Amino acid sequence: MTESEETAQAREAEFWDEVVGAAQDSDEDLCVGKADMFDRTMPWLEYMDYPAFLQQVFDHIGIGPGMRVLDLGCGKGFLAAALAHRGAEVDAIDISPRSVARCRDRAALSGISERIRFHVMDCERLEFEDDSFDAVCGSFVLHHLDLGKVAGEIARTLKPSGRAAFIETFGLNPMLMLARATLPGRFGIEKASSEDEYPLDRQRIERLRAGFRGQVEAAFPTVVFARMGGYLPFLNNRPGLGLLKAFDRAAALPAFLRSWSYYGVLTMNRAPAAP
Ligand SMILES: C[S@@+](CC[C@H](N)C(=O)[O-])C[C@H]1O[C@@H](n2cnc3c(N)ncnc32)[C@H](O)[C@@H]1O
């Protein structure tokens, strides 16, 4: 690892350690229920239709009892808990020690500790054997990583015919990219992203494809575009948010507009074993 890569990674770990340390989550919200489809410590995810995106991840990897699944960049551990509730044996990893500690506490509160192993580990240098996992997944993590490196690591640790799916921030909508570059920190809009993240644009998706050497597709179960306007204080009210959501429902109709969504699901299929 170069010195600048090491610095960027230390900065990332420190950023997320601080975010998790500052979060005042109640035990009630941290406890993940069997049917939960979004993290209750982040209630806005329901408005952002997160359950539809998560369902697409579950459908793609075919989640079920006994599967061995790797959760990359587990953060506070909602996804790891949701996978474990569906019978998977989960390895949850993150570069931020505080995130991993929160993930562990959360698993205990949710009654599924015995199905999750917790690791402070770099997604770009996985300490797992080749062909270890039936599935690899993650939520809002790939766009923090060197995509060439992580794609190689996903391919290496997935079993032949294994599948991967990631809920990710996409950068295929020029209007959202402009808003992202100009608005946070101004007009009462909080700057919530770290310095080292880049939404998945075409070039980055190509980098993933080249590193993975398998099938990589972007899928958008619904469109989350106008809803991002809810960050503007004057639209952050019941009628404003309702209107923005209605606009998104209409925008989801023509297929070509779907990739304008702020986020989507990146699906990956490893090739079957050679005969
Ligand atoms: C946006 S947060 C997402 C957390 C969680 N998956 C969620 O959906 O709430 C990104 C996470 O990726 C982790 N991360 C960033 N770079 C990483 C790396 N190189 N290896 C492992 N984890 C990393 C961060 O520490 C952070 O917890």
Side-chain angles (χ1 to χ4, degrees):
M1 206 176 1
T2 65
E3 208 179 313
S4 77
E5 284 170 337
E6 260 179 49
T7 311
Q9 222 166 72
R11 191 166 53 216
E12 187 76 7
E14 197 182 326
F15 177 88
W16 291 104
D17 272 354
E18 264 174 40
V19 170
V20 171
Q24 296 184 335
D25 303 320
S26 68
D27 283 0
E28 196 188 346
D29 285 342
L30 283 169
C31 173
V32 179
K34 278 195 172 125
D36 284 359
M37 287 295 281
F38 70 95
D39 186 342
R40 277 183 282 116
T41 69
M42 299 188 246
W44 60 89
L45 286 177
E46 190 178 24
Y47 173 70
M48 301 289 252
D49 278 339
Y50 190 90
F53 294 81
L54 184 59
Q55 188 59 53
Q56 183 124 13
V57 169
F58 290 160
D59 291 347
H60 184 76
I61 65 172
I63 187 66
M67 281 177 75
R68 188 164 178 215
V69 182
L70 173 62
D71 175 12
L72 293 182
C74 60
K76 293 192 286 182
F78 168 76
L79 179 59
L83 291 162
H85 270 315
R86 284 156 183 82
E89 296 296 326
V90 182
D91 282 279
I93 77 162
D94 202 287
I95 198 84
S96 142
R98 264 200 185 149
S99 297
V100 175
R102 188 63 52 87
C103 181
R104 179 182 281 116
D105 293 347
R106 193 167 204 181
L109 277 169
S110 311
I112 31 85
S113 297
E114 76 285 358
R115 290 223 193 95
I116 308 180
R117 285 172 296 273
F118 310 90
H119 317 264
V120 176
M121 196 189 290
D122 179 3
C123 295
E124 294 166 9
R125 285 164 203 79
L126 296 178
E127 298 160 29
F128 300 106
E129 306 273 307
D130 295 0
D131 303 346
S132 292
F133 296 101
D134 299 293
V136 179
C137 52
S139 169
F140 298 117
V141 63
L142 292 183
H143 69 286
H144 292 261
L145 304 173
D146 178 319
L147 296 174
K149 285 185 189 161
V150 73
E153 285 295 79
I154 296 168
R156 182 182 70 73
T157 54
L158 263 182
K159 293 178 184 170
S161 299
R163 289 176 163 225
F166 296 88
I167 297 175
E168 279 306 319
T169 310
F170 278 78
L172 301 173
N173 180 336
M175 281 181 270
L176 282 181
M177 288 306 280
L178 183 68
R180 204 185 157 94
T182 53
L183 296 182
R186 306 164 82 186
F187 310 112
I189 299 172
E190 195 190 333
K191 189 169 177 356
S193 52
S194 73
E195 259 180 69
D196 301 293
E197 60 176 87
Y198 311 92
L200 300 185
D201 57 14
R202 285 185 210 293
Q203 227 182 344
R204 292 196 171 90
I205 296 170
E206 278 318 310
R207 204 170 305 149
L208 257 174
R209 267 197 189 113
F212 186 64
R213 295 178 309 254
Q215 208 185 338
V216 177
E217 303 292 341
F220 300 92
T222 181
V223 172
V224 176
F225 167 30
R227 264 171 281 189
M228 301 311 288
Y231 277 105
L232 293 167
F234 70 93
L235 283 171
N236 193 355
N237 49 57
R238 196 179 256 271
L241 294 176
L243 200 69
L244 294 170
K245 196 161 183 170
F247 183 94
D248 276 347
R249 296 260 183 268
L253 294 178
F256 73 93
L257 279 184
R258 290 197 156 228
S259 64
W260 278 23
S261 185
Y262 166 75
Y263 73 117
V265 178
L266 197 96
T267 62
M268 304 164 83
N269 295 351
R270 198 189 143 178

